[in-house]
Amino acid sequence: MARPSYGGCAMDGVHCPGMNSVVDSVQSRLGILHRSNQAIEKGGTDGIFCLQQSYTCTNTPHSLLMLFLFQPKTTLVKQLTSFSIKRMTSTMSKEATPTSSVSSSSSSSSWKERLDTILQQNRHVLNFEHYTVSKEHMERMKELAQLAPELYDNPEITPRSTWFDHVRFNENSQMPPFHVHYRTELQHIIHCIYKAYNENDDDNDDKQKKQLSRAFRSFSGCMRGLNGHVSIEEYACFPVYQDCYPKVNIRFLYEDHKSLKKAEHKAMNKLGTLVQQDSVTKEDILECLQHMMDFDDHLMGHLGEEEEIVVPMSLTEQDIWF
C-alpha cells in the first residue's frame, strides 16, 4: 500500500523536493488551526508562534515538520492547545498611540528614555501601534489610496483600529498574529543587553557574559525564525495577495525585506563581536544596545507598514488563505 504524502513530502521522510511543498503543507495546517474555534482564540495563539518558529528553522525543516504535518486535525489541535493557547486579544490595547523614533545619542537621558519606552511597551497585543512609518511608506499609501480606494481609503478596513473587530478578520488568514513573536523577542533581547550594561564591573563579569550570550542566542534564533517567516511571505503569502488584487503591486515589500536583512546583519555582527571579546566596557555594551534599538525601530516599522498593506486585502470578501 502506497504511503500517503502531503504537499510533496512523503511520510517516510525520503522525498522532500523543496521548501515550497513544505510551506504548502504547513500553511494548510495553519488554515485548519485558524478554522478551529474550539482551539484557537480570536487573533492567534502562542502555539502557532511556536509551530511557526519550528518549521522556519531551515537547516532541518522536514524532520521538524513531521510531528505536525502527519497527524489528524484533532490531535494537532490538542497538542497546540497544550503549548498555551491564551491571552492576546484579551489585553489588546486600543488606546495605544505610536511613539516617535528617538535618535541614537550617547546622552544618558536620550538613550535611557528610548530604552524605557521600548521596555514598557505591551508587545503581546495584536493592535501594536508603537512604530514610526517611513516617508516612502506614506507616499505609497497616498498612491494606493488613489489606485485602490476600496482598500486604502475605506473607513471600514483601512484604519488599524477597525481590523481586529472586523467580521472578516477571523474568516481569512491574517498577518498580525505571526508578527507578535518577533516584537516580544526583540524586546527581550534588548532587555538582556541592558542587564549586561548594568552588570559591567569587575565583580559581575560572569553575569555580564551570561546576559550577552543569552542575548546573542536569542537574537540568532529569532532571526532564523524571521528569515523563514520572510521566505514564507514571499513564496506563499504575497503571491496570494497579488493574485487577488493584481492592480496592487506589492513588489516593494520584497525590497523592504532586503533592507531589513542588511540591518539585521549589522546588529548581529555588533552583538557577535561583543560576545567574542574577553572583556568589554560599558561604552562597548551601550554602543551595541543602541545598534539593537536601531534595528528594533527598523523591524517594528517594517512589520507595521507591511500590515497596513496586506491586512485590508484580507478583510474583503476575497478568500485569502495561505
Side-chain angles (χ1 to χ4, degrees):
M1 180 177 176
R3 299 174 69 84
S5 63
Y6 295 81
C9 296
M11 290 276 290
D12 56 14
V14 174
H15 177 54
C16 187
M19 192 63 184
N20 286 344
S21 60
V22 173
V23 168
D24 290 342
S25 298
V26 175
Q27 297 297 355
S28 66
R29 284 290 177 175
L30 289 177
I32 291 171
L33 291 172
H34 276 291
R35 292 183 177 94
S36 301
N37 292 330
Q38 294 82 3
I40 298 178
E41 295 177 354
K42 179 182 178 182
T45 73
D46 291 345
I48 288 180
F49 303 144
C50 294
L51 171 58
Q52 186 189 37
Q53 190 176 26
S54 296
Y55 78 71
T56 53
C57 181
T58 54
N59 291 332
T60 54
H62 189 255
S63 61
L64 289 170
L65 284 167
M66 292 296 288
L67 174 65
F68 297 101
L69 294 183
F70 311 121
Q71 296 190 66
K73 179 178 70 173
T74 54
T75 302
L76 180 60
V77 167
K78 288 178 181 178
Q79 289 184 338
L80 282 182
T81 302
S82 67
F83 273 136
S84 74
I85 296 176
K86 59 183 179 180
R87 70 176 187 254
M88 300 298 294
T89 53
S90 61
T91 57
M92 191 164 64
S93 172
K94 296 185 179 180
E95 304 300 324
T97 55
T99 58
S100 301
S101 300
V102 181
S103 60
S104 296
S105 166
S106 58
S107 161
S108 61
S109 60
S110 62
W111 73 259
K112 187 59 168 59
E113 289 173 2
R114 185 183 183 196
L115 174 69
D116 289 342
T117 296
I118 292 172
L119 297 184
Q120 290 169 8
Q121 293 169 355
N122 181 1
R123 296 193 172 189
H124 293 283
V125 299
L126 288 178
N127 190 19
F128 183 81
E129 296 182 318
H130 298 278
Y131 63 92
T132 303
V133 299
S134 63
K135 292 181 179 178
E136 292 80 5
H137 178 73
M138 289 189 283
E139 290 301 317
R140 289 170 186 164
M141 294 304 289
K142 290 179 182 178
E143 295 173 2
L144 289 172
Q146 295 179 345
L147 179 66
E150 69 277 15
L151 295 175
Y152 304 110
D153 192 17
N154 184 341
E156 294 185 0
I157 64 174
T158 303
R160 174 179 286 270
S161 60
T162 66
W163 296 349
F164 307 102
D165 292 325
H166 195 281
V167 65
R168 293 288 291 171
F169 187 81
N170 289 325
E171 299 298 323
N172 276 333
S173 294
Q174 303 294 346
M175 199 66 74
F178 297 103
H179 288 168
V180 175
H181 167 72
Y182 304 109
R183 293 183 177 119
T184 58
E185 277 290 303
L186 204 50
Q187 186 182 50
H188 166 72
I189 291 159
I190 289 171
H191 192 208
C192 287
I193 299 173
Y194 179 55
K195 284 184 177 180
Y197 175 83
N198 282 338
E199 293 168 350
N200 185 262
D201 58 52
D202 293 339
D203 296 331
N204 289 325
D205 280 352
D206 289 341
K207 291 182 179 179
Q208 168 203 305
K209 291 177 182 178
K210 285 181 181 179
Q211 291 295 344
L212 290 175
S213 296
R214 179 179 298 172
F216 183 74
R217 289 194 304 270
S218 297
F219 190 56
S220 298
C222 183
M223 292 303 100
R224 284 196 300 270
L226 181 62
N227 290 329
H229 172 78
V230 165
S231 296
I232 292 169
E233 285 183 335
E234 293 184 350
Y235 291 102
C237 306
F238 292 170
V240 174
Y241 292 122
Q242 199 68 82
D243 288 344
C244 290
Y245 294 97
K247 68 178 179 179
V248 180
N249 187 348
I250 58 174
R251 291 300 304 177
F252 58 81
L253 291 175
Y254 295 81
E255 297 303 316
D256 289 351
H257 284 163
K258 292 179 182 178
S259 175
L260 186 65
K261 185 66 177 179
K262 292 179 180 178
E264 173 202 325
H265 283 163
K266 290 181 179 179
M268 184 74 75
N269 290 338
K270 198 69 181 177
L271 181 55
T273 300
L274 202 63
V275 170
Q276 293 175 2
Q277 293 177 0
D278 293 332
S279 62
V280 296
T281 65
K282 290 181 76 74
E283 288 73 20
D284 292 332
I285 299 176
L286 179 56
E287 184 180 0
C288 178
L289 177 61
Q290 291 176 325
H291 270 81
M292 194 60 70
M293 289 193 292
D294 287 344
F295 179 72
D296 183 76
D297 285 347
H298 193 148
L299 180 58
M300 297 307 106
H302 168 71
L303 296 179
E305 291 177 2
E306 185 177 82
E307 290 170 359
E308 290 180 14
I309 297 295
V310 302
V311 172
M313 298 184 190
S314 296
L315 297 181
T316 66
E317 294 303 314
Q318 291 275 13
D319 290 327
I320 295 183
W321 282 97
F322 44 73

